[in-house]
């Protein structure tokens, strides 16, 4: 595993001993849980771990639509997959004890699982307070320091909150003395910097479209 401050964390999943249907892949839920336990339950209430199914090779697109399910005690339940092939898999220690499995409707060699750490934003959100963003930056930094351990003094710190709300989305920073508009970069991301002076000047953050998801990063 790469360190938690990376933008993308590859999740290495081995094949489960049980046979999966052709064109699908089944792994023990514990393999996801062993990665998630490093993140959840650690006073990270303003953060979210976003898992996504991505093509192993850019030249070989995934079979669509991507679907995922969890089987516990012989009963299967679907996991919601968004338009970006991302999921928020439940953090369930009891599923580990029950031997739960996760099935993805993609052949093992055709996909990889990646993870991103973002700020937890309720569905439909178009308004945030900069203090909420700053709290997410602080929690992300503590997570980085914990992962770095004895060399935490060498670890980078959170620099940017990338907001994904559509290619036509704008983000307006508003304060008592005026406003400032941010537009997406060439990758469709609106980048909000970790800047305490900015926070004092523009306490409100308004997005023109609902926020789909966010990513915290140590890059500018």
């Amino acid at each position: 595993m790469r360190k938690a401050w990376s933008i993308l964390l590859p999740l290495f999943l081995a094949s489960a001993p049980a046979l999966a249907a052709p064109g699908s892949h089944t792994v023990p839920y514990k393999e996801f849980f062993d990665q998630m336990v490093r993140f959840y339950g650690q006073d990270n209430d303003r953060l979210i771990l976003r898992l996504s199914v991505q093509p192993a090779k850019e030249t070989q697109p995934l079979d669509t639509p991507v679907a995922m399910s969890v089987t516990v005690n012989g009963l299967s339940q679907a996991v919601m997959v968004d338009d970006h092939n991302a999921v928020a898999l439940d953090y369930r220690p009891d599923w580990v004890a029950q031997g739960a499995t996760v099935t993805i409707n993609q052949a093992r060699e055709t996909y990889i699982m990646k993870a991103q750490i973002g700020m937890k934003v309720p569905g439909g959100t178009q308004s945030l307070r900069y203090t909420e963003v700053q709290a997410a930056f602080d929690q992300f930094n503590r997570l980085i320091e914990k992962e770095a351990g004895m060399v935490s003094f060498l670890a980078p710190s959170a620099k940017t909150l990338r907001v994904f709300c559509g290619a036509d989305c704008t983000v307006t920073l508003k304060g008592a003395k005026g406003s400032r508009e941010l537009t997406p970069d060439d990758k469709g991301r609106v980048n909000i910097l970790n800047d305490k002076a900015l926070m004092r000047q523009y306490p409100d953050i308004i997005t023109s479209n609902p926020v789909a998801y966010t990513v915290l990063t140590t890059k500018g």
Side-chain angles (χ1 to χ4, degrees):
M1 285 290 293
R2 293 166 62 188
K3 292 298 184 181
W5 53 78
S6 301
I7 298 176
L8 296 175
L9 312 177
L11 298 183
F12 301 105
L13 305 177
S15 298
L19 293 177
S24 66
H25 182 222
T26 297
V27 297
Y29 170 77
K30 185 178 184 300
E31 295 193 17
F32 288 90
F33 183 85
D34 287 347
Q35 308 296 340
M36 295 163 68
V37 75
R38 300 166 61 235
F39 177 82
Y40 288 113
Q42 307 292 328
D43 297 323
N44 299 323
D45 61 300
R46 295 184 181 273
L47 306 181
I48 188 167
L49 189 64
R50 180 176 177 273
L51 308 176
S52 63
V53 183
Q54 301 295 328
K57 298 180 180 178
E58 292 185 2
T59 56
Q60 296 180 357
L62 298 170
D63 292 334
T64 55
V66 173
M68 186 181 294
S69 62
V70 176
T71 301
V72 186
N73 293 330
L75 299 176
S76 294
Q77 54 186 286
V79 177
M80 184 177 293
V81 181
D82 71 15
D83 293 340
H84 304 276
N85 295 331
V87 301
L89 196 60
D90 289 344
Y91 177 74
R92 294 286 299 270
D94 57 317
W95 285 358
V96 176
Q98 293 165 349
T101 58
V102 177
T103 298
I104 303 163
N105 70 335
Q106 306 292 320
R108 177 65 192 99
E109 66 277 6
T110 65
Y111 81 94
I112 55 175
M113 289 293 299
K114 291 185 177 180
Q116 296 170 310
I117 297 173
M119 176 183 173
K120 187 181 295 183
V121 177
T125 292
Q126 288 187 251
S127 177
L128 295 168
R129 297 284 291 177
Y130 210 113
T131 50
E132 298 173 319
V133 175
Q134 194 66 52
F137 280 135
D138 291 343
Q139 288 188 0
F140 186 54
N141 282 335
R142 288 198 295 271
L143 184 63
I144 290 172
E145 290 172 2
K146 181 176 180 180
E147 286 292 310
M150 293 181 62
V151 293
S152 60
F153 63 95
L154 296 175
S157 59
K159 288 186 173 63
T160 308
L161 175 72
R162 303 201 195 282
V163 177
F164 293 79
C165 52
D168 61 340
C169 183
T170 58
V171 173
T172 303
L173 307 180
K174 300 184 70 174
K177 296 183 179 180
S179 62
R180 174 182 173 186
E181 189 172 280
L182 306 177
T183 56
D185 62 14
D186 58 359
K187 296 183 180 180
R189 311 170 301 190
V190 180
N191 298 311
I192 300 176
L193 299 180
N194 183 4
D195 186 325
K196 287 182 168 49
L198 194 68
M199 179 182 70
R200 289 191 295 270
Q201 187 175 358
Y202 302 113
D204 295 307
I205 301 170
I206 310 297
T207 65
S208 61
N209 298 335
V211 177
Y213 65 96
T214 68
V215 174
L216 289 158
T217 173
T218 58
K219 296 182 179 180

